[in-house]
Amino acid sequence: MSRPNRTATSRRGFMLIHMLLAIGLFTIFSLAAYRLIRLSLRISADVSRLENHHLRHDASFARLREDVWGAVAIGPVGKKGLRIRKPGRETVTWTADSEGALVRSEATRGSYPKRQSWPGVGENILLRVDGPTVSITLPGRGDTTDRTVLLVSQVMLTTEGQP
Amino acid sequence: MRQVGTCRRDAFATVAAVVLTGLVSVALLATVTLLRNDALRTRRAVAEAQLRQLLLAGQVAASAALTDNENERRVLKIDLPEELTASSSLTLVLDPANQPDLLTATLEAGHDGFYQSQALTYRRVDGRWALAEAQLAGPPRRVSLLPEEPPP
């Protein structure tokens, strides 16, 4: 009498263990899959964000370099700005605004000023003037140290060397 | 019935595996693209720095090459140090303007497949040529996009 009962109990236990194992495996798989999906999506978003940041950074620095290269006079505007005088009537002002954008304003006598902005590039940036040289200090992120980029004015470099 | 159930489970696992593999592939591809672009950007930055050095040195050479009587257009190849002759080039084009006291010099620098030029304007002051303007002609470009011979 007791034997069939024991078999039924064993079967039920066997099924339960199988179920528990299946649920456990499914949970582990789900967690791993969720993390993988999240990581994949985050990497794709980060890559896109970084690419955009690099493009904005390169474009703004190329423009700033061109302005400094042809400058006949450079002066500071606070700690985060420059005023560049170019031959002729142009004056260009570069500033890092409170929202972290690097802003270029070009004023020519007799016309409306032109304004260009590169969001995110001017965050914690420092611009310093030393004669014909402009140094841009970019803050380090995480373990990286601060980086300094030097720009030079071709005209001022030449005129300063002349007697 | 049982077979149909098994097939469905198999299909679910396959679909899940394919979707995950696809997502991981996209992330890997994005990472590889970023690394590749970073490497190209670094190479480009090195070339650009060298080009600027060449243009700065070229300006000194241009000032030294100017004579009192600049009446004709001249194209000069500026000699570079031995370390740079294989990978770099620097050409100066002196072009007198219509005004007697004005002269335009174009410096064309090439390095490691990249090219950049600048336009210098000299003005004669008290009998001497003085640099009045310097303008970079845009960002550096790949040499393959340029004509082989400079325009006359």
Side-chain angles (χ1 to χ4, degrees), chain A residues 47-66:
Chain A
V47 165
S48 171
R49 189 178 50 79
L50 275 171
E51 289 278 357
N52 280 333
H53 184 75
H54 285 170
L55 284 174
R56 281 198 299 267
H57 185 277
D58 289 352
S60 61
F61 275 37
R63 197 75 189 88
L64 177 54
R65 196 184 295 281
E66 269 185 54

Side-chain angles (χ1 to χ4, degrees), chain A residues 94-126:
Chain A
W94 284 83
T95 45
D97 71 9
S98 54
E99 288 167 8
L102 194 60
V103 182
R104 178 185 189 270
S105 310
E106 186 178 342
T108 311
R109 265 181 243 160
S111 63
Y112 289 108
K114 292 176 199 160
R115 191 176 184 276
Q116 278 178 289
S117 173
W118 292 270
V121 181
E123 220 168 295
N124 301 322
I125 203 171
L126 286 175

Side-chain angles (χ1 to χ4, degrees), chain B residues 5 11-12 15 20 24 46 56 77 87 94-95 105 123 129 132 147 150:
Chain B
F12 171 74
V15 168
L20 281 176
V24 172
V46 172
L56 287 171
K77 251 194 145 22
S87 59
L94 294 169
D95 214 348
R123 196 162 276 134
W129 291 110

Side-chain angles (χ1 to χ4, degrees), chain A residues 6 12 14 16-17 46 69-70 72 87 92 94-95 102 112 116 140 145 159:
Chain A
R6 218 183 294 151
R12 277 200 295 272
F14 181 75
L16 188 65
I17 290 164
D46 280 356
W69 191 271
V72 289
V92 180
W94 284 83
T95 45
L102 194 60
Y112 289 108
Q116 278 178 289
T145 52
T159 47

Side-chain angles (χ1 to χ4, degrees), chain B residues 20 26 28 54 64 71 79 126 134 143 150 152:
Chain B
L20 281 176
V26 168
L28 271 175
L54 286 168
N71 302 320
D79 291 335
D126 300 329
V143 173

Side-chain angles (χ1 to χ4, degrees), chain A residues 22-101:
Chain A
I23 290 169
L25 283 172
F26 186 73
T27 310
I28 291 167
F29 172 77
S30 301
L31 278 173
Y34 169 71
R35 286 191 166 207
L36 200 63
I37 290 169
R38 220 181 86 182
L39 190 69
S40 302
L41 293 176
R42 210 181 67 190
I43 286 174
S44 301
D46 280 356
V47 165
S48 171
R49 189 178 50 79
L50 275 171
E51 289 278 357
N52 280 333
H53 184 75
H54 285 170
L55 284 174
R56 281 198 299 267
H57 185 277
D58 289 352
S60 61
F61 275 37
R63 197 75 189 88
L64 177 54
R65 196 184 295 281
E66 269 185 54
D67 284 340
V68 172
W69 191 271
V72 289
I74 309 171
V77 179
K79 275 187 179 178
K80 291 187 167 188
L82 296 174
R83 183 167 290 115
I84 298 168
R85 196 160 62 77
K86 295 172 100 177
R89 301 171 299 169
E90 280 177 67
T91 305
V92 180
T93 310
W94 284 83
T95 45
D97 71 9
S98 54
E99 288 167 8

Side-chain angles (χ1 to χ4, degrees), chain A residues 135-157:
Chain A
S135 68
I136 309 167
T137 308
L138 303 160
R141 285 180 183 174
D143 294 337
T144 57
T145 52
D146 290 359
R147 288 164 300 151
T148 303
V149 180
L150 292 175
L151 313 178
V152 70
S153 160
Q154 170 82 87
V155 181
M156 289 170 72
L157 198 67

